[in-house]
Amino acid sequence: NLLLLSLMLVQQCQIVNADKFSYSNSRRWRRSPVPEPAVDLQVDQVENKYKPVLTNCQDNPKIKEEQPIDTEVMRVRAYDRDSNSTGAGQISFSIVSTGKTFNINPKTGVITTNKNFNRDEPDREKDVYVTVKASDKGRPSLEEVCTITVTIEDINDNKPIFDRAKYEIPIAQDTEAGAEIMRVSATDIDEGMNQNITCELRSKQ
């Protein structure tokens, strides 16, 4: 019985030691988790094949002088053969000419005035120019530029001016009716029909 008890104790110790060895070694040699491969969420860039094309640069818009700021001049139009579902086919408008006489809506292409134009003296703004750019949102961005001529039309905003402030001329008492006794002169700096002058006499009581 003593021998049997010794054998049972030895076997039990071996089992316990084996468990400890297995446990300790499992902790010592346990592999760290393998990192999962990173997923690249970047969307592939669509090739930007075509540049925007401005279609109505040859238009010659006309506006009256002395109109208030934000008067609409025209709407610039453009198209891009790339798909508009990508940045390569989405168009934005801007003004690249010097000076700030016009504004443009970057989405609609509507050009509006940013000053009061004067066709008459001293400014003589008869034709003014604005250079616009249509650019897409591709990478790299492609663009087209054109210059538009805007004609400022005259309005009747100036009165005639006589060459003299006062006219005095002696008339003989026997002057026949209908005889020419003098001529008056006046000028108007407006243009066209707005500068035509007619005269009439009004008696002064």
Side-chain angles (χ1 to χ4, degrees), residues 52-53 78-80 87-93 106-107 133-137:
V53 177
Y79 70 89
D80 194 311
Q90 297 172 7
I91 299 175
S92 177
F93 299 96
K107 294 183 178 180
K133 178 175 70 176
S135 56
D136 61 31
K137 298 179 181 179

Side-chain angles (χ1 to χ4, degrees), residues 60-68 71-73 102 113 116-121 124-128 149-158 189-195:
N60 180 208
K62 299 176 176 60
I63 59 172
K64 300 290 187 182
E65 63 175 331
E66 304 297 343
Q67 296 304 298
T71 296
E72 183 172 329
V73 178
F102 295 97
T113 59
N116 301 111
F117 292 98
N118 180 24
R119 184 181 174 92
D120 308 316
E121 299 290 349
R124 303 296 291 173
E125 295 172 311
K126 296 185 177 182
D127 288 322
V128 291
T149 303
V150 181
T151 299
I152 310 300
E153 295 184 323
D154 185 65
I155 63 173
N156 192 15
D157 57 342
N158 295 284
I189 64 173
D190 289 318
E191 297 182 358
M193 296 294 294
N194 294 328
Q195 69 176 176

Side-chain angles (χ1 to χ4, degrees), residues 160-174:
I161 300 176
F162 285 103
D163 59 347
R164 298 182 189 178
K166 185 177 182 179
Y167 293 91
E168 290 183 352
I169 184 172
I171 303 176
Q173 64 180 25
D174 57 350

Side-chain angles (χ1 to χ4, degrees), residues 34-53:
V34 178
E36 296 182 359
V39 179
D40 188 3
L41 298 179
Q42 183 177 359
V43 179
D44 292 337
Q45 176 64 40
V46 177
E47 182 180 1
N48 193 4
K49 295 182 179 180
Y50 307 103
K51 70 176 184 178
V53 177

Side-chain angles (χ1 to χ4, degrees), residues 6-193:
S6 299
L7 289 173
M8 291 179 61
L9 289 173
V10 170
Q11 289 180 354
Q12 186 176 1
C13 290
Q14 289 177 347
I15 293 172
V16 170
N17 290 336
D19 290 342
K20 288 183 178 180
F21 176 81
S22 175
Y23 176 73
S24 61
N25 278 280
S26 65
R27 294 188 61 186
R28 182 182 302 173
W29 299 105
R30 184 175 59 188
R31 297 177 61 185
S32 59
V34 178
E36 296 182 359
V39 179
D40 188 3
L41 298 179
Q42 183 177 359
V43 179
D44 292 337
Q45 176 64 40
V46 177
E47 182 180 1
N48 193 4
K49 295 182 179 180
Y50 307 103
K51 70 176 184 178
V53 177
L54 291 159
T55 60
N56 57 339
C57 286
Q58 301 305 317
D59 290 356
N60 180 208
K62 299 176 176 60
I63 59 172
K64 300 290 187 182
E65 63 175 331
E66 304 297 343
Q67 296 304 298
I69 292 175
D70 290 333
T71 296
E72 183 172 329
V73 178
M74 67 174 293
R75 179 178 180 179
V76 179
R77 301 183 184 276
Y79 70 89
D80 194 311
R81 291 171 60 189
D82 292 305
S83 172
N84 61 7
S85 63
T86 67
Q90 297 172 7
I91 299 175
S92 177
F93 299 96
S94 60
I95 291 178
V96 296
S97 52
T98 58
K100 297 182 178 181
T101 53
F102 295 97
N103 292 321
I104 190 169
N105 186 300
K107 294 183 178 180
T108 65
V110 173
I111 298 176
T112 55
T113 59
N114 196 37
K115 66 165 292 185
N116 301 111
F117 292 98
N118 180 24
R119 184 181 174 92
D120 308 316
E121 299 290 349
D123 300 314
R124 303 296 291 173
E125 295 172 311
K126 296 185 177 182
D127 288 322
V128 291
Y129 305 93
V130 53
T131 301
V132 300
K133 178 175 70 176
S135 56
D136 61 31
K137 298 179 181 179
R139 294 184 180 180
S141 177
L142 301 179
E143 62 188 39
E144 182 170 80
V145 176
C146 75
T147 299
I148 298 170
T149 303
V150 181
T151 299
I152 310 300
E153 295 184 323
D154 185 65
I155 63 173
N156 192 15
D157 57 342
N158 295 284
K159 63 182 181 181
I161 300 176
F162 285 103
D163 59 347
R164 298 182 189 178
K166 185 177 182 179
Y167 293 91
E168 290 183 352
I169 184 172
I171 303 176
Q173 64 180 25
D174 57 350
T175 300
E176 296 180 359
E180 181 178 315
I181 57 173
M182 67 174 299
R183 291 189 178 187
V184 297
S185 176
T187 57
D188 192 316
I189 64 173
D190 289 318
E191 297 182 358
M193 296 294 294

